[in-house]
Each structure stands twice: as C-alpha cells, then as structure tokens.
Amino acid sequence: QVQLVESGGGLVQAGGSLRLSCELSGRTFSNLAMGWFRQAPGKDREFLVAINWSSGGTYSADSVQGRFTISRDNAKNTMYLEMNSLKPEDTAIYYCAASLAGAVAGSEAWYDYWGQGTQVIVSS
C-alpha cells in the first residue's frame, strides 16, 4: 500500500551537512505521519524526528534537537531530513518510516512501513 525510498546519503566530514529525502508512493492516508530513524552497526535502531503529514507538527529526539530538521513537500510526496553540524557518531544507516495512525512518536511500534535505508558516514 505504501512504498518509501530514501536517498541523499553519502560521506561527509565532521561539521558538514547533508539533506536526506524520502519519497512516498501509494495510496493517500488521512492521518499519515512520517519519521526518520537510524541504526549503527551493533546497535538498536534509534528514533530521530517525526512529522504529521497534514498538520506539520513535529517531534525530535534530544540527541538531534538543534541539528536535524524534518520537513515535507506534499506536492512532491517527499519528506526531508536536513542534517547540520554532523558528528562521527551520526554515522549510521538512516531509515524513513510511515505511521498509518499518524503517531508523531519515537517508538518503532507506531510505524507500519519502512524504507530500505541510506548510508551516512561522517569522517573525523
């Protein structure tokens, strides 16, 4: 029903910036929310930021507040993650996810669809 495709990952030096994109396709849901997660090797998947597609309301994890910004373009069916002041500890695979319940929340249990992920490497 819903397909998510991430793009924009790559290699960046510490202190630099990247913008990730997540293109949404499939049927339109009335209360959809979208979020970004990341997972480093050997570690659990970590919630970053989420946004409600209709209202634009957002929620961010403490670890990325002030550095990462989530946004969406309804006309392009695309969600973005603007990452600034990147640190080596930001190195991970970044995933976008969709919540049919419209949950702007950090628990993976609220999310129903996941993308394949895009790799971000931050060098020191």
Side-chain angles (χ1 to χ4, degrees):
Q1 292 181 315
V2 175
Q3 292 179 305
L4 304 171
V5 180
E6 303 97 334
S7 62
L11 175 65
V12 63
Q13 293 184 346
S17 300
L18 278 176
R19 189 178 79 161
L20 306 183
S21 299
C22 177
E23 185 177 4
L24 168 70
S25 62
R27 65 164 290 180
T28 300
F29 296 92
S30 61
N31 198 32
L32 190 69
M34 300 280 286
W36 287 98
F37 294 76
R38 68 185 179 189
Q39 187 170 27
K43 296 189 179 295
D44 293 335
R45 190 146 53 191
E46 174 190 14
F47 169 76
L48 299 173
V49 289
I51 188 169
N52 183 274
W53 207 257
S54 296
S55 71
T58 63
Y59 173 69
S60 300
D62 291 342
S63 61
V64 299
Q65 287 182 352
R67 297 193 300 122
F68 290 11
T69 302
I70 191 171
S71 63
R72 88 284 195 228
D73 187 330
N74 289 20
K76 296 182 178 180
N77 293 320
T78 301
M79 177 179 66
Y80 304 97
L81 181 66
E82 183 72 34
M83 304 186 293
N84 299 310
S85 301
L86 284 164
K87 307 172 183 179
E89 51 263 43
D90 294 320
T91 296
I93 299 175
Y94 284 70
Y95 299 89
C96 64
S99 170
L100 300 185
V104 185
S107 174
E108 293 184 27
W110 288 107
Y111 295 87
D112 305 287
Y113 297 93
W114 296 82
Q116 295 293 313
T118 185
Q119 176 73 59
V120 173
I121 300 174
V122 184
S123 62
S124 60

